[in-house]
């Protein structure tokens, strides 16, 4: 164990849609918490509704932030959110900036997801296919909560989907614009209301045969298929989120050779040899420490 990443404030990892802390031997942030702890960081993982709106999840996150501050005696926390977790973290920082030292978006749909747009168009509001899909996905979110052994939290799949569309995120951004770029593909303000903002993400590159161990990862193959549904950021996305849509605050890099799940070290670490997602989190914690966070 070292102290290279012993940040001044605790790190709170925030999961995305259908996320969890741990289910049996499986962690959402696979090996990331442990690596951060070995580097000296104090790390917690949020427990939020697996499927719900950004605001609902954000309110849940605020409760957990308050609990961590009371438990540790710290004044603030560093939030690192993956996917929808980035929007959840942004909400908490906008509402309670005095309790948040930094927000880091990892593969966050900060301008919406084209895939969510496609799914929203596929389900006509009020019609049977939408109702069936909503019931099934809401039930799935409930199942994740049950088998993860966490307290029951409300689930609402349609609100989650609407919260991730370009339209839904645009409405969210009007209320909580902190850290957003003024120009498409640019960087946002590095610091707003005393909160530092960062982001990183990946894109799917090359052919399937160039994937190294990812060739054996069924989730990567699914991401590669989903990537073909993008139009605005075609060939510039990770299967669920576009490269420039992910930009927030100081953009560390948005074209790492990783799909949407590689950035949380899934499945079983079958990631490309050119990028190590766990190292990215440790290096970022070292960055936060250097910044005095």
């Amino acid at each position: 164990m070292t102290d290279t990443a012993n940040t001044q404030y605790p790190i709170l990892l925030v999961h995305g849609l259908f996320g969890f802390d741990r289910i049996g031997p499986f962690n959402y942030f696979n090996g990331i918490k442990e690596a951060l702890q070995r580097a000296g960081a104090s790390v917690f993982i949020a427990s939020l509704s697996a499927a719900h709106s950004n605001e609902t999840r954000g309110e849940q996150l605020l409760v957990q932030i308050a609990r961590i501050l009371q438990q540790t005696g710290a004044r603030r926390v560093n939030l690192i959110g993956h996917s929808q977790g980035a929007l959840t973290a942004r909400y908490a920082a906008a509402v309670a900036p005095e309790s948040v030292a930094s927000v880091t978006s990892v593969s966050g749909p900060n301008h919406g997801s084209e895939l969510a747009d496609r799914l929203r168009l596929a389900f006509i509001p009020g019609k049977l296919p939408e109702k069936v899909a909503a019931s099934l996905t809401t039930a799935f979110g409930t199942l994740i909560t049950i088998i993860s052994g966490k307290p029951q939290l409300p689930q609402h799949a349609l609100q989650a989907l609407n919260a991730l569309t370009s339209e839904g995120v645009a409405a969210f951004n009007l209320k909580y614009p902190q850290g957003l770029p003024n120009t498409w593909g640019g960087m946002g303000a590095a610091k707003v209301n005393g909160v530092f903002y960062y982001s990183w993400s990946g894109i799917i590159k090359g052919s399937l045969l160039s994937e190294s161990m990812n060739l054996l990862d069924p989730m990567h193959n699914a991401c590669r298929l989903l990537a073909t549904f993008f139009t605005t950021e075609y060939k510039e996305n990770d299967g669920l989120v576009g490269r420039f849509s992910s930009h927030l605050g100081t953009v560390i890099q948005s074209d790492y050779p990783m799909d949407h799940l590689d950035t949380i070290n899934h499945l079983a670490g079958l990631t490309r040899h050119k990028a190590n997602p766990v190292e990215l989190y440790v290096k970022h914690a070292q960055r936060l420490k250097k910044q005095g966070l």
Side-chain angles (χ1 to χ4, degrees):
M1 184 171 177
T2 69
D3 63 355
T4 61
N6 60 333
T7 53
Q8 178 178 354
Y9 305 113
I11 293 172
L12 178 54
L13 301 174
V14 187
H15 66 73
L17 180 66
F18 297 131
F20 52 89
D21 177 352
R22 174 190 293 271
I23 295 178
F26 300 104
N27 295 309
Y28 183 89
F29 291 96
N30 184 26
I32 293 166
K33 177 182 179 181
E34 294 80 3
L36 287 169
Q37 289 176 325
R38 286 193 298 270
S42 174
V43 188
F44 298 84
I45 299 181
S47 180
L48 310 172
S49 292
H52 220 302
S53 68
N54 302 320
E55 289 87 347
T56 296
R57 285 162 46 91
E59 286 295 323
Q60 295 168 2
L61 182 60
L62 286 171
V63 171
Q64 292 177 49
I65 290 172
R67 187 180 303 131
I68 291 169
L69 297 185
Q70 183 178 31
Q71 176 182 340
T72 63
R75 294 187 300 107
R76 310 172 85 183
V77 295
N78 291 301
L79 299 176
I80 302 180
H82 174 256
S83 195
Q84 190 186 8
L87 302 177
T88 307
R90 286 176 49 199
Y91 174 88
V95 172
E98 71 282 356
S99 297
V100 179
S102 70
V103 169
T104 302
S105 166
V106 179
S107 304
N110 294 304
H111 294 275
S113 167
E114 289 187 58
L115 182 62
D117 294 343
R118 288 296 190 100
L119 290 173
R120 181 67 273 183
L121 288 173
F123 299 116
I124 301 173
K127 297 297 183 180
L128 184 61
E130 182 200 55
K131 293 179 180 178
V132 171
S135 296
L136 289 175
T137 50
T138 297
F140 179 64
T142 301
L143 177 62
I144 288 175
T145 302
I146 292 172
I147 61 179
S148 66
K150 297 297 182 180
Q152 280 287 353
L153 293 168
Q155 311 291 335
H156 201 301
L158 281 183
Q159 287 198 26
L161 175 59
N162 292 336
L164 295 172
T165 62
S166 299
E167 181 180 1
V169 177
F172 178 83
N173 287 345
L174 286 175
K175 294 184 285 186
Y176 314 107
Q178 293 85 349
L180 291 172
N182 291 321
T183 58
W184 180 250
M187 292 195 186
K191 185 179 182 182
V192 183
N193 296 333
V195 180
F196 287 81
Y197 288 85
Y198 303 90
S199 62
W200 80 72
S201 58
I203 62 173
I204 295 173
K205 297 182 178 181
S207 68
L208 186 59
L209 295 178
S210 68
E211 289 298 339
S212 182
M213 291 300 290
N214 253 347
L215 182 65
L216 306 176
D217 184 349
M219 297 307 297
H220 172 75
N221 293 325
C223 285
R224 182 171 282 275
L225 175 62
L226 294 173
T228 64
F229 290 95
F230 284 67
T231 53
T232 301
E233 297 200 75
Y234 182 66
K235 293 187 177 181
E236 292 285 335
N237 68 81
D238 65 8
L240 276 76
V241 174
R243 174 184 180 180
F244 295 135
S245 179
S246 74
H247 283 200
L248 182 77
T250 299
V251 180
I252 297 165
Q253 187 171 333
S254 58
D255 64 345
Y256 286 112
M258 296 186 287
D259 65 41
H260 195 73
L261 297 179
D262 283 341
T263 52
I264 47 173
N265 201 33
H266 282 214
L267 263 169
L270 297 180
T271 52
R272 299 184 184 203
H273 65 278
K274 295 181 180 178
N276 185 325
V278 176
E279 287 183 1
L280 293 182
Y281 286 84
V282 174
K283 288 181 179 179
H284 187 56
Q286 293 168 344
R287 182 180 295 112
L288 296 176
K289 177 183 178 181
K290 186 175 181 180
Q291 189 67 53
L293 304 175

